[in-house]
């Protein structure tokens, strides 16, 4: 192996940064600290911090362990690099999930009923028109 090959293989790739950012995003979504997640995985918080900052690459086995810990598919961590048919969550969807998880059971039921009601474009258009009339 030449020096060029060694330097190239150790260089941080864009996908490493994406995976690290999404790892941090998922941890924050769950409201967990680096120390908490690291302890659950048998790591030091410094190692988890290096994963999140893409200073160290994450092995496939560790990525699977993280996906199990967060109850999400492994592909979620790759965002736009995901080549499966699954659609990654947007930042807006993640914010919605974070807020939804912070609601009481009753609050979640209200949100679900509201979403079911407005799932129909015709009903949404009708409600928007009615609201415009009352203003």
């Amino acid at each position: 192996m030449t020096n060029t090959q060694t330097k190239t293989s150790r260089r941080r790739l864009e996908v490493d940064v994406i995976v690290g950012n999404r790892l941090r995003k998922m941890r924050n979504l769950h409201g967990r600290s680096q120390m908490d997640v690291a302890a659950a995985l048998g790591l030091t918080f410094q190692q988890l911090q290096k994963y999140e900052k893409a200073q160290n690459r994450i092995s496939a086995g560790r990525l699977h362990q993280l996906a199990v810990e967060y109850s999400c598919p492994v592909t979620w961590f790759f965002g736009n690099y995901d080549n499966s048919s699954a659609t990654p969550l947007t930042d807006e969807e993640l914010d919605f999930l974070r807020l939804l998880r912070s609601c009481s059971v009753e609050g979640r039921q209200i949100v679900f009923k509201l979403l079911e009601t407005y799932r129909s474009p015709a009903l949404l258009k009708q409600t928007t028109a009615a609201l415009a009339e009352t203003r």
Side-chain angles (χ1 to χ4, degrees):
M1 188 181 295
T2 66
N3 271 346
T4 308
Q5 289 173 324
T6 303
K7 288 179 183 177
T8 303
S9 66
R10 292 187 181 173
R11 187 174 4 135
R12 182 169 58 173
L13 303 174
E14 184 180 350
V15 69
D16 297 324
V17 175
I18 298 291
V19 170
N21 287 337
R22 291 181 71 85
L23 175 61
R24 183 181 62 251
K25 201 175 267 191
M26 185 59 82
R27 179 179 56 77
N28 288 331
L29 174 67
H30 283 266
R32 297 179 67 188
S33 69
Q34 286 178 331
M35 286 178 75
D36 175 45
V37 173
L41 299 175
L43 300 170
T44 63
F45 84 91
Q46 292 96 336
Q47 182 62 48
L48 184 63
Q49 187 176 53
K50 287 180 179 183
Y51 287 155
E52 289 183 0
K53 291 182 176 183
Q55 291 172 335
N56 286 0
R57 289 189 178 154
I58 303 171
S59 70
R62 184 69 71 197
L63 198 57
H64 178 263
Q65 192 179 16
L66 287 158
V68 169
E69 184 69 21
Y70 291 127
S71 301
C72 72
V74 171
T75 55
W76 184 87
F77 293 104
F78 292 92
N80 292 334
Y81 283 91
D82 180 3
N83 64 355
S84 74
S85 61
T87 305
L89 296 175
T90 65
D91 289 343
E92 184 179 34
E93 290 167 328
L94 283 173
D95 288 342
F96 177 79
L97 287 174
R98 183 182 50 75
L99 290 170
L100 186 65
R101 287 182 176 179
S102 68
C103 290
S104 66
V105 173
E106 296 82 14
R108 277 187 238 132
Q109 289 172 346
I110 291 168
V111 170
F112 288 132
K113 286 179 184 177
L114 182 67
L115 289 173
E116 288 230 336
T117 301
Y118 288 104
R119 186 170 49 183
S120 162
L123 183 58
L124 182 58
K125 196 174 195 180
Q126 184 181 21
T127 305
T128 304
L131 282 173
E133 286 177 15
T134 60
R135 291 183 187 168

